[in-house]
Coordinates of all heavy atoms in Angstrom, one line a residue:
K217 N 67.3 8.4 -7.6 CA 67.6 7.0 -7.3 C 67.8 6.2 -8.6 O 68.7 5.4 -8.7 CB 66.6 6.4 -6.4 CG 66.8 5.0 -6.0 CD 65.8 4.5 -5.1 CE 66.0 3.0 -4.8 NZ 65.1 2.5 -3.9
R218 N 66.9 6.4 -9.6 CA 67.0 5.6 -10.8 C 68.3 5.9 -11.6 O 68.9 5.1 -12.1 CB 65.8 5.8 -11.7 CG 64.6 5.2 -11.1 CD 63.4 5.3 -12.0 NE 62.3 4.7 -11.4 CZ 61.1 4.7 -11.8 NH1 60.8 5.4 -12.9 NH2 60.1 4.1 -11.2
A219 N 68.7 7.2 -11.6 CA 69.9 7.6 -12.2 C 71.1 6.9 -11.6 O 72.0 6.4 -12.3 CB 70.1 9.1 -12.2
Q220 N 71.1 6.8 -10.3 CA 72.2 6.1 -9.6 C 72.2 4.6 -10.0 O 73.3 4.0 -10.2 CB 72.1 6.3 -8.1 CG 73.3 5.8 -7.3 CD 74.6 6.5 -7.7 OE1 74.5 7.7 -7.8 NE2 75.6 5.8 -7.9
L221 N 71.1 4.0 -10.1 CA 71.0 2.6 -10.4 C 71.5 2.4 -11.9 O 72.3 1.4 -12.1 CB 69.6 2.0 -10.3 CG 69.0 1.9 -9.0 CD1 67.5 1.6 -9.0 CD2 69.7 0.9 -8.1
I222 N 71.2 3.3 -12.7 CA 71.6 3.2 -14.1 C 73.2 3.4 -14.2 O 73.9 2.6 -14.9 CB 70.9 4.2 -15.0 CG1 69.4 3.7 -15.2 CG2 71.6 4.3 -16.4 CD1 68.5 4.8 -15.8
M223 N 73.7 4.3 -13.4 CA 75.1 4.6 -13.4 C 75.9 3.4 -12.9 O 77.0 3.1 -13.3 CB 75.4 5.9 -12.7 CG 74.8 7.1 -13.3 SD 74.9 7.3 -15.1 CE 76.5 7.1 -15.5
N224 N 75.3 2.8 -11.8 CA 76.0 1.6 -11.3 C 76.0 0.5 -12.4 O 77.1 -0.2 -12.5 CB 75.2 1.1 -10.1 CG 75.4 2.0 -8.9 OD1 76.4 2.8 -8.8 ND2 74.5 1.9 -7.9
L225 N 75.0 0.3 -13.1 CA 75.0 -0.7 -14.2 C 76.0 -0.3 -15.2 O 76.7 -1.2 -15.7 CB 73.6 -0.8 -14.8 CG 73.4 -1.7 -16.0 CD1 73.8 -3.2 -15.7 CD2 72.0 -1.7 -16.6
V226 N 76.1 0.9 -15.6 CA 77.0 1.4 -16.6 C 78.5 1.1 -16.1 O 79.3 0.6 -16.9 CB 76.8 2.9 -16.9 CG1 78.0 3.4 -17.7 CG2 75.5 3.1 -17.7
R227 N 78.7 1.4 -14.9 CA 80.1 1.2 -14.3 C 80.4 -0.3 -14.4 O 81.5 -0.7 -14.6 CB 80.2 1.7 -12.9 CG 80.3 3.2 -12.8 CD 80.6 3.6 -11.4 NE 80.4 5.1 -11.3 CZ 79.3 5.6 -10.8 NH1 78.3 4.9 -10.3 NH2 79.2 6.9 -10.7
E228 N 79.4 -1.2 -14.0 CA 79.6 -2.6 -14.0 C 79.9 -3.1 -15.4 O 80.9 -3.9 -15.6 CB 78.4 -3.3 -13.5 CG 78.5 -4.8 -13.4 CD 77.3 -5.5 -12.9 OE1 76.6 -4.9 -12.0 OE2 77.0 -6.6 -13.3
L229 N 79.2 -2.6 -16.4 CA 79.5 -3.0 -17.8 C 80.9 -2.5 -18.3 O 81.6 -3.3 -18.9 CB 78.4 -2.4 -18.7 CG 77.0 -3.0 -18.6 CD1 76.0 -2.2 -19.3 CD2 77.0 -4.5 -19.0
A230 N 81.2 -1.3 -17.9 CA 82.5 -0.8 -18.2 C 83.6 -1.6 -17.6 O 84.7 -1.9 -18.2 CB 82.7 0.6 -17.9
S231 N 83.4 -2.1 -16.4 CA 84.4 -2.9 -15.7 C 84.6 -4.2 -16.3 O 85.7 -4.9 -16.1 CB 84.1 -3.0 -14.2 OG 83.0 -3.9 -14.0
E232 N 83.6 -4.7 -17.1 CA 83.7 -5.9 -17.8 C 84.4 -5.7 -19.2 O 84.5 -6.7 -20.0 CB 82.3 -6.5 -18.0 CG 81.6 -6.9 -16.8 CD 80.2 -7.3 -17.0 OE1 79.7 -7.3 -18.1 OE2 79.5 -7.6 -16.0
G233 N 84.8 -4.5 -19.4 CA 85.6 -4.2 -20.7 C 84.7 -3.8 -21.8 O 85.2 -3.6 -22.9
K234 N 83.4 -3.5 -21.5 CA 82.5 -3.0 -22.6 C 82.7 -1.5 -22.8 O 82.9 -0.8 -21.8 CB 81.1 -3.4 -22.2 CG 80.9 -4.9 -22.2 CD 79.4 -5.2 -21.9 CE 79.1 -6.6 -22.0 NZ 79.8 -7.5 -21.2
A235 N 82.7 -1.0 -24.0 CA 82.7 0.4 -24.3 C 81.3 1.0 -24.1 O 80.3 0.4 -24.5 CB 83.2 0.6 -25.7
I236 N 81.3 2.1 -23.4 CA 80.0 2.8 -23.1 C 80.0 4.2 -23.8 O 81.0 4.9 -23.6 CB 79.8 2.9 -21.6 CG1 80.0 1.6 -20.9 CG2 78.4 3.6 -21.3 CD1 78.9 0.5 -21.2
L237 N 79.0 4.5 -24.5 CA 78.8 5.8 -25.0 C 77.5 6.3 -24.6 O 76.4 5.7 -24.8 CB 78.9 5.8 -26.6 CG 78.6 7.1 -27.3 CD1 79.8 8.1 -26.9 CD2 78.6 6.9 -28.8
M238 N 77.5 7.5 -23.8 CA 76.2 8.0 -23.3 C 76.1 9.5 -23.6 O 77.2 10.2 -23.8 CB 76.2 7.9 -21.8 CG 76.3 6.5 -21.3 SD 76.1 6.4 -19.4 CE 77.2 7.6 -18.8
A239 N 74.9 10.0 -23.8 CA 74.7 11.4 -23.9 C 74.2 11.9 -22.6 O 73.1 11.5 -22.2 CB 73.7 11.7 -25.1
L240 N 74.9 12.8 -21.9 CA 74.5 13.3 -20.7 C 74.5 14.9 -20.7 O 75.4 15.4 -21.4 CB 75.5 12.9 -19.5 CG 75.5 11.4 -19.3 CD1 76.7 11.1 -18.3 CD2 74.2 10.9 -18.7
H241 N 73.6 15.5 -20.1 CA 73.5 16.9 -20.0 C 73.8 17.5 -18.6 O 73.8 18.7 -18.4 CB 72.2 17.4 -20.6 CG 72.0 17.1 -22.0 ND1 72.3 18.0 -23.0 CD2 71.5 16.0 -22.6 CE1 72.0 17.4 -24.2 NE2 71.5 16.2 -23.9
E242 N 74.1 16.6 -17.7 CA 74.4 16.9 -16.3 C 75.9 16.8 -16.1 O 76.4 15.7 -16.1 CB 73.6 16.1 -15.4 CG 74.0 16.1 -13.9 CD 74.2 17.5 -13.4 OE1 73.2 18.3 -13.4 OE2 75.3 17.8 -12.9
V243 N 76.6 17.9 -16.1 CA 78.1 17.9 -16.0 C 78.6 17.1 -14.9 O 79.5 16.3 -15.0 CB 78.6 19.3 -16.0 CG1 80.1 19.3 -16.0 CG2 78.1 20.1 -17.3
N244 N 78.1 17.3 -13.7 CA 78.6 16.6 -12.5 C 78.4 15.1 -12.6 O 79.3 14.3 -12.2 CB 77.9 17.1 -11.2 CG 78.5 18.5 -10.9 OD1 79.7 18.6 -10.6 ND2 77.6 19.5 -10.8
L245 N 77.3 14.7 -13.2 CA 77.1 13.2 -13.4 C 78.1 12.7 -14.4 O 78.7 11.6 -14.1 CB 75.6 13.0 -13.9 CG 75.3 11.5 -14.1 CD1 75.4 10.7 -12.8 CD2 73.8 11.4 -14.6
A246 N 78.3 13.4 -15.4 CA 79.3 13.0 -16.4 C 80.7 12.9 -15.8 O 81.4 11.9 -16.1 CB 79.3 14.0 -17.6
L247 N 81.1 13.9 -15.0 CA 82.4 13.9 -14.4 C 82.6 12.7 -13.4 O 83.6 12.2 -13.3 CB 82.7 15.2 -13.7 CG 83.0 16.4 -14.6 CD1 83.1 17.6 -13.7 CD2 84.2 16.2 -15.4
S248 N 81.5 12.3 -12.8 CA 81.5 11.3 -11.7 C 81.6 9.9 -12.3 O 82.0 9.0 -11.6 CB 80.4 11.4 -10.8 OG 79.2 10.9 -11.4
C249 N 81.3 9.7 -13.6 CA 81.2 8.3 -14.1 C 81.9 8.1 -15.4 O 81.7 7.0 -16.0 CB 79.7 7.9 -14.2 SG 78.8 8.8 -15.4
T250 N 82.7 9.0 -15.8 CA 83.3 8.8 -17.1 C 84.9 8.9 -17.1 O 85.4 9.5 -16.2 CB 82.8 9.8 -18.2 OG1 83.2 11.1 -17.7 CG2 81.3 9.7 -18.4
D251 N 85.5 8.3 -18.0 CA 87.0 8.4 -18.2 C 87.3 9.6 -19.1 O 88.3 10.3 -18.9 CB 87.6 7.1 -18.8 CG 87.4 5.9 -17.8 OD1 87.5 6.1 -16.6 OD2 87.1 4.8 -18.3
R252 N 86.4 9.7 -20.1 CA 86.6 10.8 -21.1 C 85.3 11.5 -21.3 O 84.2 10.9 -21.2 CB 87.1 10.2 -22.5 CG 88.4 9.5 -22.4 CD 88.9 9.3 -23.8 NE 89.3 10.6 -24.5 CZ 90.4 11.3 -24.2 NH1 91.2 10.9 -23.3 NH2 90.7 12.4 -24.9
I253 N 85.4 12.8 -21.7 CA 84.2 13.5 -22.0 C 84.4 14.2 -23.4 O 85.4 14.8 -23.7 CB 83.9 14.6 -21.0 CG1 83.6 14.0 -19.6 CG2 82.8 15.5 -21.4 CD1 83.2 14.9 -18.5
L254 N 83.4 14.1 -24.2 CA 83.3 14.7 -25.5 C 82.3 15.8 -25.4 O 81.1 15.5 -25.0 CB 83.0 13.8 -26.6 CG 84.1 12.9 -27.1 CD1 84.4 11.8 -26.1 CD2 83.7 12.3 -28.4
F255 N 82.6 17.1 -25.7 CA 81.7 18.2 -25.7 C 81.3 18.5 -27.1 O 82.2 18.7 -28.0 CB 82.3 19.4 -25.0 CG 82.5 19.2 -23.5 CD1 83.7 18.9 -23.0 CD2 81.5 19.5 -22.7 CE1 83.9 18.7 -21.7 CE2 81.7 19.4 -21.3 CZ 82.9 19.0 -20.8
L256 N 80.0 18.6 -27.3 CA 79.5 18.9 -28.7 C 78.9 20.3 -28.6 O 78.3 20.7 -27.5 CB 78.4 18.0 -29.1 CG 78.9 16.5 -29.2 CD1 77.7 15.6 -29.6 CD2 80.0 16.3 -30.2
Q257 N 79.0 21.1 -29.6 CA 78.3 22.4 -29.7 C 77.8 22.5 -31.1 O 78.6 22.4 -32.1 CB 79.3 23.5 -29.4 CG 78.7 24.8 -29.1 CD 79.7 25.8 -28.6 OE1 80.6 26.2 -29.4 NE2 79.6 26.2 -27.4
N258 N 76.5 22.8 -31.3 CA 75.9 22.9 -32.6 C 76.2 21.7 -33.5 O 76.4 21.8 -34.7 CB 76.4 24.2 -33.3 CG 76.0 25.4 -32.5 OD1 74.9 25.5 -31.9 ND2 76.9 26.4 -32.5
G259 N 76.1 20.5 -32.8 CA 76.3 19.3 -33.6 C 77.7 18.9 -34.0 O 78.0 18.0 -34.7
R260 N 78.7 19.7 -33.5 CA 80.1 19.5 -33.9 C 80.9 19.2 -32.6 O 80.7 19.8 -31.5 CB 80.7 20.7 -34.6 CG 79.9 21.0 -35.8 CD 80.9 21.8 -36.8 NE 80.1 22.3 -37.9 CZ 79.8 21.6 -39.0 NH1 80.0 20.3 -39.0 NH2 79.1 22.2 -40.0
L261 N 81.9 18.4 -32.8 CA 82.8 18.1 -31.6 C 83.7 19.3 -31.3 O 84.4 19.8 -32.1 CB 83.8 16.9 -32.0 CG 84.7 16.5 -30.9 CD1 84.0 16.0 -29.7 CD2 85.7 15.4 -31.4
L262 N 83.5 19.8 -30.1 CA 84.2 20.9 -29.6 C 85.5 20.5 -28.8 O 86.5 21.1 -28.9 CB 83.3 21.8 -28.7 CG 83.9 23.1 -28.2 CD1 84.2 24.0 -29.4 CD2 82.9 23.8 -27.3
E263 N 85.4 19.5 -28.0 CA 86.5 19.1 -27.1 C 86.3 17.6 -26.8 O 85.2 17.1 -26.6 CB 86.5 19.9 -25.8 CG 87.6 19.7 -25.0 CD 88.9 20.3 -25.5 OE1 88.8 21.4 -26.0 OE2 90.0 19.7 -25.4
D264 N 87.5 16.9 -26.8 CA 87.5 15.5 -26.4 C 88.7 15.4 -25.4 O 89.8 15.6 -25.7 CB 87.8 14.6 -27.6 CG 88.1 13.1 -27.2 OD1 88.0 12.8 -26.1 OD2 88.3 12.4 -28.2
T265 N 88.3 15.2 -24.1 CA 89.3 15.3 -23.0 C 89.1 14.2 -21.9 O 87.9 13.8 -21.7 CB 89.3 16.7 -22.4 OG1 90.4 16.8 -21.5 CG2 88.0 17.0 -21.7
P266 N 90.1 13.8 -21.2 CA 89.9 13.0 -20.1 C 89.1 13.8 -19.0 O 89.2 15.0 -18.9 CB 91.3 12.7 -19.5 CG 92.2 12.9 -20.7 CD 91.6 14.0 -21.5
S267 N 88.2 13.1 -18.4 CA 87.3 13.8 -17.4 C 88.1 14.5 -16.3 O 87.7 15.6 -15.9 CB 86.4 12.7 -16.7 OG 85.6 12.1 -17.7
S268 N 89.2 13.9 -15.9 CA 90.0 14.5 -14.9 C 90.7 15.8 -15.3 O 91.2 16.6 -14.5 CB 91.1 13.6 -14.5 OG 92.0 13.3 -15.6
E269 N 90.7 16.1 -16.6 CA 91.3 17.4 -17.1 C 90.3 18.5 -17.5 O 90.6 19.5 -18.0 CB 92.2 17.1 -18.3 CG 93.3 16.2 -18.0 CD 94.2 15.9 -19.1 OE1 94.1 16.5 -20.2 OE2 95.0 14.9 -19.0
V270 N 89.0 18.2 -17.2 CA 88.0 19.2 -17.5 C 88.2 20.4 -16.6 O 88.4 20.2 -15.3 CB 86.6 18.7 -17.3 CG1 85.5 19.8 -17.3 CG2 86.3 17.6 -18.3
S271 N 88.3 21.6 -17.1 CA 88.6 22.8 -16.4 C 87.5 23.8 -16.4 O 86.6 23.7 -17.3 CB 89.9 23.4 -16.9 OG 89.6 24.0 -18.2
G272 N 87.5 24.8 -15.6 CA 86.6 25.9 -15.6 C 86.6 26.6 -16.9 O 85.6 27.0 -17.5
D273 N 87.8 26.8 -17.5 CA 88.0 27.5 -18.7 C 87.3 26.7 -19.9 O 86.6 27.3 -20.7 CB 89.4 27.7 -19.1 CG 90.1 28.8 -18.2 OD1 89.4 29.6 -17.6 OD2 91.3 28.8 -18.1
L274 N 87.5 25.4 -19.9 CA 86.8 24.6 -20.9 C 85.3 24.7 -20.8 O 84.6 24.9 -21.8 CB 87.3 23.1 -20.8 CG 86.8 22.2 -21.8 CD1 87.8 21.1 -22.1 CD2 85.5 21.6 -21.5
L275 N 84.8 24.6 -19.6 CA 83.4 24.6 -19.4 C 82.8 26.0 -19.8 O 81.7 26.1 -20.4 CB 83.0 24.3 -17.9 CG 83.3 22.9 -17.5 CD1 83.1 22.7 -16.0 CD2 82.4 21.9 -18.3
E276 N 83.6 27.0 -19.5 CA 83.1 28.4 -19.9 C 83.1 28.5 -21.4 O 82.2 29.1 -22.0 CB 84.1 29.4 -19.3 CG 83.6 30.9 -19.6 CD 84.4 31.9 -18.9 OE1 85.2 31.6 -18.0 OE2 84.2 33.1 -19.2
N277 N 84.1 27.9 -22.1 CA 84.1 27.9 -23.5 C 82.9 27.2 -24.1 O 82.3 27.6 -25.1 CB 85.4 27.3 -24.0 CG 85.6 27.4 -25.5 OD1 85.2 28.4 -26.2 ND2 86.1 26.3 -26.1
V278 N 82.5 26.1 -23.5 CA 81.4 25.2 -24.0 C 80.1 25.9 -23.7 O 79.2 26.0 -24.6 CB 81.4 23.8 -23.4 CG1 80.2 23.1 -23.7 CG2 82.7 23.1 -23.8
Y279 N 79.9 26.4 -22.5 CA 78.6 26.8 -22.0 C 78.4 28.4 -22.0 O 77.3 28.9 -21.8 CB 78.3 26.3 -20.6 CG 78.1 24.8 -20.6 CD1 79.1 24.0 -20.1 CD2 76.9 24.2 -21.0 CE1 79.0 22.6 -20.1 CE2 76.8 22.8 -21.0 CZ 77.8 22.0 -20.6 OH 77.7 20.7 -20.6
G280 N 79.5 29.1 -22.1 CA 79.4 30.6 -22.2 C 79.2 31.2 -20.9 O 78.9 32.4 -20.8
I281 N 79.4 30.5 -19.8 CA 79.3 31.1 -18.4 C 80.5 30.6 -17.6 O 81.1 29.5 -17.9 CB 78.0 30.7 -17.7 CG1 77.8 29.2 -17.6 CG2 76.8 31.4 -18.4 CD1 76.6 28.8 -16.8
S282 N 80.8 31.3 -16.5 CA 81.9 30.9 -15.7 C 81.5 29.7 -14.8 O 80.4 29.6 -14.4 CB 82.3 32.1 -14.8 OG 82.8 33.1 -15.6
W283 N 82.5 28.9 -14.4 CA 82.3 27.8 -13.6 C 83.4 27.7 -12.5 O 84.5 28.2 -12.7 CB 82.4 26.5 -14.4 CG 81.3 26.3 -15.4 CD1 81.2 26.9 -16.5 CD2 80.2 25.4 -15.3 NE1 80.1 26.5 -17.2 CE2 79.5 25.5 -16.4 CE3 79.8 24.5 -14.3 CZ2 78.3 24.8 -16.7 CZ3 78.7 23.8 -14.5 CH2 77.9 23.9 -15.7
E284 N 83.0 27.2 -11.3 CA 84.0 26.9 -10.3 C 84.0 25.4 -10.1 O 83.0 24.8 -10.1 CB 83.5 27.6 -9.0 CG 84.5 27.6 -7.9 CD 84.2 28.5 -6.7 OE1 83.9 29.7 -7.0 OE2 84.2 28.1 -5.6
I285 N 85.2 24.9 -9.8 CA 85.4 23.5 -9.6 C 85.9 23.2 -8.2 O 86.9 23.8 -7.8 CB 86.4 22.9 -10.7 CG1 85.8 23.1 -12.1 CG2 86.6 21.4 -10.4 CD1 86.7 22.6 -13.2
W286 N 85.2 22.4 -7.5 CA 85.6 22.1 -6.1 C 86.1 20.6 -6.0 O 85.4 19.7 -6.6 CB 84.4 22.2 -5.1 CG 83.9 23.6 -5.1 CD1 84.5 24.8 -5.3 CD2 82.5 24.0 -4.7 NE1 83.7 25.9 -5.1 CE2 82.4 25.4 -4.8 CE3 81.4 23.3 -4.3 CZ2 81.3 26.1 -4.5 CZ3 80.2 24.0 -4.1 CH2 80.2 25.4 -4.1
Q287 N 87.2 20.4 -5.4 CA 87.7 19.1 -5.2 C 87.0 18.5 -3.9 O 86.9 19.1 -2.9 CB 89.2 19.2 -4.9 CG 89.9 17.8 -4.9 CD 90.0 17.2 -6.2 OE1 90.1 17.8 -7.2 NE2 89.9 15.9 -6.2
L288 N 86.5 17.3 -4.1 CA 85.8 16.6 -3.0 C 86.6 15.5 -2.4 O 86.7 14.4 -3.0 CB 84.4 16.1 -3.5 CG 83.5 17.1 -4.1 CD1 82.2 16.4 -4.6 CD2 83.1 18.2 -3.1
G289 N 87.3 15.7 -1.3 CA 88.1 14.7 -0.7 C 89.3 14.4 -1.5 O 89.7 15.1 -2.4
E290 N 89.9 13.2 -1.3 CA 91.1 12.8 -1.9 C 90.9 11.8 -3.0 O 91.9 11.3 -3.6 CB 92.1 12.3 -0.8 CG 92.5 13.4 0.2 CD 93.4 12.8 1.3 OE1 93.9 11.7 1.1 OE2 93.5 13.5 2.3
N291 N 89.7 11.4 -3.3 CA 89.4 10.3 -4.2 C 89.4 10.8 -5.7 O 89.1 10.1 -6.6 CB 88.2 9.6 -3.9 CG 86.9 10.4 -4.0 OD1 87.0 11.6 -4.3 ND2 85.8 9.8 -3.7
G292 N 89.6 12.1 -5.9 CA 89.6 12.7 -7.2 C 88.2 13.2 -7.7 O 88.1 13.8 -8.8
R293 N 87.2 13.0 -6.9 CA 85.8 13.5 -7.3 C 85.8 15.0 -7.2 O 86.4 15.6 -6.3 CB 84.7 12.9 -6.4 CG 84.4 11.5 -6.8 CD 83.1 11.1 -6.3 NE 82.1 11.9 -6.9 CZ 80.8 11.7 -6.6 NH1 80.4 10.7 -5.9 NH2 79.9 12.5 -7.1
R294 N 85.1 15.6 -8.2 CA 85.0 17.0 -8.2 C 83.6 17.4 -8.4 O 82.8 16.7 -9.0 CB 85.8 17.6 -9.4 CG 87.3 17.3 -9.2 CD 88.2 17.8 -10.4 NE 87.7 17.2 -11.6 CZ 88.0 17.8 -12.8 NH1 88.6 19.0 -12.9 NH2 87.6 17.3 -13.9
L295 N 83.2 18.6 -8.0 CA 81.9 19.2 -8.2 C 82.1 20.5 -9.0 O 82.9 21.3 -8.6 CB 81.3 19.5 -6.8 CG 79.9 20.2 -6.9 CD1 78.9 19.2 -7.4 CD2 79.5 20.6 -5.5
V296 N 81.3 20.6 -10.1 CA 81.4 21.9 -10.8 C 80.1 22.6 -10.6 O 79.0 22.1 -10.5 CB 81.6 21.6 -12.3 CG1 83.0 21.0 -12.6 CG2 80.6 20.7 -12.9
V297 N 80.3 24.0 -10.4 CA 79.2 24.8 -10.1 C 79.2 26.0 -11.1 O 80.2 26.7 -11.1 CB 79.2 25.3 -8.7 CG1 78.1 26.2 -8.3 CG2 79.3 24.1 -7.7
P298 N 78.1 26.3 -11.8 CA 78.1 27.5 -12.6 C 78.0 28.7 -11.8 O 77.3 28.7 -10.7 CB 76.9 27.3 -13.5 CG 76.0 26.4 -12.8 CD 76.9 25.5 -11.9
L299 N 78.7 29.8 -12.2 CA 78.7 31.0 -11.4 C 77.8 32.1 -12.0 O 77.5 32.1 -13.2 CB 80.1 31.6 -11.2 CG 81.1 30.7 -10.6 CD1 82.5 31.3 -10.6 CD2 80.7 30.3 -9.2

């Protein structure tokens, strides 16, 4: 519940034109609330991409395991699941 409250606040601030930079380790949360995602590996930038373009191949490259991506409805939301 608290995470949702924080994400709502973040969305509100972003809608006011404020830039938001967050460190998230939950991929689905990051995909649900960001326009862009930067992936770091060993302290170095590995990928900088729009959230809508995150693919299973990219996630496999970052995390070293296979991922499946499910489309949730028609609003563009996706759910990623490690395999």
Side-chain angles (χ1 to χ4, degrees):
K217 181 178 176 178
R218 289 185 182 173
Q220 189 62 45
L221 291 172
I222 291 169
M223 298 318 304
N224 289 340
L225 175 60
V226 167
R227 283 187 195 99
E228 183 179 325
L229 292 170
S231 72
E232 295 172 2
K234 294 179 173 64
I236 308 294
L237 177 64
M238 299 185 313
L240 298 172
H241 295 269
E242 169 48 56
V243 179
N244 286 300
L245 182 59
L247 286 174
S248 73
C249 68
T250 61
D251 297 322
R252 297 194 69 76
I253 295 184
L254 284 70
F255 290 97
L256 303 177
Q257 193 173 67
N258 298 322
R260 301 204 188 283
L261 180 62
L262 184 63
E263 188 73 39
D264 175 0
T265 187
S267 301
S268 61
E269 295 180 16
V270 170
S271 68
D273 289 339
L274 185 148
L275 293 172
E276 184 172 353
N277 186 40
V278 171
Y279 294 102
I281 58 173
S282 297
W283 293 76
E284 189 167 308
I285 299 179
W286 298 334
Q287 188 71 34
L288 302 177
E290 297 177 13
N291 65 358
R293 284 198 60 174
R294 299 180 301 157
L295 176 70
V296 295
V297 179
L299 301 176

